[in-house]
Amino acid sequence: MPRTPARVRRRTRVPAPGPPAAGTSSADTAAEEEAHDQPGRAGRALWRRLPLRTAAGLVPAVLVGVWALAHRSLMASGVHDLVAADPGWLLAALACTGLGWAANSVARQGTVLEPLPRLPLLATQFAATAAGQLAPAGLGASAVNLRFLRVNGVPLARATAALALYSLAESCCRVGLLLVLLAANPHALHAKGLLPDGDGLLLLAAAAAAVTAAAVLTLVLAGSLRRAAAGFVTDALADARTLHARPERALALWGGSLVFPLIQAASMAAVARALDLPVAPVPVALAYLAATCAAALVPTPGGIGSVDAALAVALVAAGAPTGAAASAVLAFRIVTVWLPLLPAALTLSALIRRKVL
């Protein structure tokens, strides 16, 4: 009988590891394998050890980019108005903005006894302009300054008291400057249309009374909160007395707090002059101060919306046409906020990475 050929199975053999080549030891072979695997392990270790501070430093720039994309049509309209403006006055407005950061730095130094490093303090105020656009009522800028004080050794309670003292001094100086200019120029603003009348005033009064009553009721019912608030006020007053016992700190606090809104008003007047707004500089400054004081009642991120609307109404009350007032407000927002926004966000990221904040 014929035989059926048997199936031949092919097997692939893995060669057994042979002895190391001549002149190569097992230790050298292990070193070569470790060196070969080193880049992969280094990359994995770098990914695992990516600092949270570095990631946090990238957040402001990303948020600014998203915000700019969302408002690109509005920014394009404002840039179109700026092209025809006087560049000299626009540079003057930009210079006033920079001087405002310097005045802010002086005022911040006046709120604490410890000497703060000057250049990092100035950079922090510049970076705080970006943070201020991301949170309402200046909370972003306050958070940046609080972190800066904590990094420079100021205890949390005293750093918080310093922020409260700055807000109080700046608000008092802003309102006081407005009242002085109004007394010197009583007919610079037309109150009709600028302030609500009738039902509007009644609604504002009712809202203010409700907020005050809610705050008082909360303090009365919450014993621990009341004690904490009383302790904070006591400590803050003690710190304020100590600071005002040193003339250089008191001068820095109140001088910087007074110069800051004055420089901001001058920046608005420079923008109005660049656009040939038919309003004199003093009424423009008055309109800006009145608008910022009124907009403080409606906190929005960076004052966007509340300040813009109040400023447009105030400029119209000062005698500007409606269209020209809107263009001036948009140009002022671009020069003083939007143009420095990306550099400020990058500065904020750098300060976070360098552990200044």
Side-chain angles (χ1 to χ4, degrees):
M1 286 179 75
R3 290 185 179 180
T4 304
R7 295 180 180 177
V8 180
R9 297 182 180 177
R10 296 181 180 179
R11 297 181 180 178
T12 303
R13 293 184 178 181
V14 179
T24 304
S25 63
S26 58
D28 293 336
T29 304
E32 290 179 2
E33 292 178 355
E34 183 178 356
H36 179 72
D37 191 50
Q38 189 68 25
R41 287 195 297 175
R44 292 191 297 270
L46 180 62
W47 176 257
R48 288 194 300 266
R49 293 182 301 176
L50 181 65
L52 181 61
R53 184 179 296 274
T54 301
L58 298 176
V59 171
V62 173
L63 291 177
V64 167
V66 172
W67 185 92
L69 288 175
H71 296 80
R72 57 185 180 276
S73 60
L74 188 61
M75 295 181 67
S77 175
V79 171
H80 181 269
D81 292 334
L82 289 178
V83 169
D86 188 338
W89 285 108
L90 292 179
L91 287 177
L94 193 60
C96 288
T97 303
L99 291 175
W101 297 322
N104 215 350
S105 301
V106 173
R108 297 285 184 182
Q109 175 61 87
T111 60
V112 292
L113 294 172
E114 293 83 354
L116 301 174
R118 295 181 181 179
L119 287 180
L121 177 60
L122 180 59
T124 299
Q125 304 317 306
F126 178 49
T129 60
Q133 306 308 309
L134 306 177
L139 293 179
S142 297
V144 169
N145 280 283
L146 178 64
R147 180 60 185 169
F148 179 76
L149 293 177
R150 295 288 293 120
V151 169
N152 284 274
V154 181
L156 179 60
R158 291 186 51 238
T160 308
L163 295 181
L165 180 60
Y166 169 81
S167 299
L168 178 62
E170 200 272 340
S171 300
C172 290
C173 289
R174 187 178 294 269
V175 174
L177 185 61
L178 172 63
L179 294 178
V180 169
L181 290 179
L182 275 177
N185 303 270
H187 303 293
L189 296 180
H190 305 289
K192 185 177 181 180
L194 179 61
L195 296 176
D197 52 356
D199 296 338
L201 284 176
L202 184 60
L203 182 60
L204 285 178
V211 171
T212 304
V216 172
L217 185 62
T218 301
L219 291 176
V220 169
L221 296 180
S224 58
L225 181 61
R226 183 176 65 253
R227 288 189 295 271
F232 173 77
V233 171
T234 302
D235 294 340
L237 291 177
D239 288 343
R241 285 194 297 268
T242 304
L243 286 168
H244 284 82
R246 299 180 60 175
E248 69 276 9
R249 289 291 187 265
L251 180 61
L253 172 62
W254 292 100
S257 298
L258 179 63
V259 171
F260 178 58
L262 187 60
I263 288 178
Q264 286 184 316
S267 179
M268 179 67 240
V271 170
R273 186 67 181 271
L275 295 177
D276 290 328
L277 198 70
V279 182
V282 172
V284 171
L286 269 171
Y288 173 78
L289 293 173
T292 52
C293 291
L297 301 175
V298 186
T300 58
I304 297 175
S306 59
V307 172
D308 297 338
L311 183 55
V313 172
L315 288 175
V316 171
T322 303
S327 297
V329 170
L330 188 58
F332 174 73
R333 178 66 69 177
I334 290 177
V335 171
T336 61
V337 177
W338 295 350
L339 190 60
L341 190 56
L342 182 57
L346 295 177
T347 302
L348 178 59
S349 301
L351 293 178
I352 292 174
R353 290 196 302 269
R354 293 177 179 271
K355 300 183 179 181
V356 177
L357 296 176

